[in-house]
Amino acid sequence: QKEVEQDPGPLSVPEGAIVSLNCTYSNSAFQYFMWYRQYSRKGPELLMYTYSSGNKEDGRFTAQVDKSSKYISLFIRDSQPSDSATYLCAMSAYKNYGGSQGNLIFGKGTKLSVKP
Amino acid sequence: EAGVTQFPSHSVIEKGQTVTLRCDPISGHDNLYWYRRVMGKEIKFLLHFVKESKQDESGMPNNRFLAERTGGTYSTLKVQPAELEDSGVYFCASSQVPRLVINEQFFGPGTRLTVL
């Protein structure tokens, strides 16, 4: 069983739609949950992060973590063509050296296309 | 402020040849990470430097891969001799010693390696 599962899509939605992206994981030690956005030919950039369970909102983006179900979600409201990218979930267990979160475990990424 | 830079952006070599990838992290970032994405798979951790020391190299696939970070600045990843399965995109990321909950890793654009 992979540590992190993510449906690679592709996912195509019309402009203005609500987008739901999800990942499941198996390692109960994960405490840091992140969503990265990657445009074509670019490196991933951190979009949102959550520590442990709960919700976090930033503008049109909402990240949710349900540790009991080992399930995380990213919601995009009022999606825009500029949101078209690959969205990667990533997770990490806390490692107590130098305060670093340590290495990241990524999902495969979901390719999203928002059509005007 | 300049981001993480990687050189070359694309490399095409024949099986058995040697290739050296370079990463220049963001100035002042002590943490430097190498990741790799093989086609159709998720991004996977290779190793982590803290300054010039290898903190975690558990993801290095075999002894054909050698990473260095002399002086704690830029890093190189050498593959010698290259095999077909080494093809993929190699990402470098860097981060500061975190003051906040999360240690945000900033990714470079990647080096696309093709082994023929």
Side-chain angles (χ1 to χ4, degrees), chain B residues 15 36-39 61-62 64-65 79 81-88 90 113-116:
Chain B
K15 176 183 172 181
R36 176 175 74 171
R37 181 167 194 160
V38 172
M39 187 180 292
N62 51 61
R64 295 185 293 103
F65 289 75
V79 185
E83 298 289 344
L84 299 179
E85 63 265 24
D86 301 332
S87 295
Y90 290 76
L113 174 64
T114 303
V115 183
L116 302 176

Side-chain angles (χ1 to χ4, degrees), chain A residues 2 4 32-34 36 38 41-46 49-51 86 88 95 97-109, chain B residues 10 31 33 35 37 40-45 48 50 55-56 58 91 95 97-98 100-110 112:
Chain A
K2 284 187 179 294
V4 179
Y32 297 88
F33 304 92
M34 287 140 279
Y36 280 80
Q38 185 179 15
R41 302 290 178 177
K42 301 285 187 183
E45 59 174 334
L46 183 64
Y49 72 88
T50 309
Y51 171 64
T86 296
L88 304 125
K95 288 187 181 180
Y97 53 81
S100 171
Q101 72 187 61
N103 66 77
L104 299 174
I105 310 299
F106 282 89
K108 279 190 176 182
Chain B
H10 193 181
N31 294 291
Y33 306 82
Y35 292 85
R37 181 167 194 160
K41 302 285 188 180
E42 61 275 6
I43 297 173
K44 284 200 168 178
F45 167 81
H48 170 206
V50 177
Q55 184 69 55
D56 181 353
S58 61
F91 291 104
S95 69
V97 175
L100 304 175
V101 171
I102 192 173
N103 178 12
E104 180 177 357
Q105 297 184 24
F106 296 84
F107 281 77
R112 187 173 298 271

Side-chain angles (χ1 to χ4, degrees), chain B residues 2-22:
Chain B
V4 177
T5 57
Q6 293 186 245
F7 182 82
S9 58
H10 193 181
S11 180
V12 181
I13 61 172
E14 293 190 351
K15 176 183 172 181
Q17 289 186 322
T18 298
V19 63
T20 300
L21 314 180
R22 172 170 171 145

Side-chain angles (χ1 to χ4, degrees), chain A residues 40-92:
Chain A
S40 182
R41 302 290 178 177
K42 301 285 187 183
E45 59 174 334
L46 183 64
L47 189 61
M48 294 188 72
Y49 72 88
T50 309
Y51 171 64
S52 194
S53 283
N55 295 355
K56 188 171 185 178
E57 190 173 318
D58 184 1
R60 296 184 295 110
F61 299 88
T62 299
Q64 289 184 351
V65 174
D66 181 349
K67 291 191 73 178
S68 62
S69 301
K70 296 190 177 68
Y71 187 87
I72 72 170
S73 302
L74 177 70
F75 298 96
I76 307 174
R77 291 184 299 281
D78 186 25
S79 56
Q80 302 295 308
S82 57
D83 295 329
S84 298
T86 296
Y87 290 80
L88 304 125
C89 62
M91 337 196 156
S92 178

Side-chain angles (χ1 to χ4, degrees), chain A residues 2-4 6 24 29 31 34 37 43 75 94 111:
Chain A
K2 284 187 179 294
E3 282 195 285
V4 179
Q6 182 177 11
T24 59
Q31 296 192 69
M34 287 140 279
R37 178 174 60 193
F75 298 96
Y94 177 72
K111 188 170 184 178

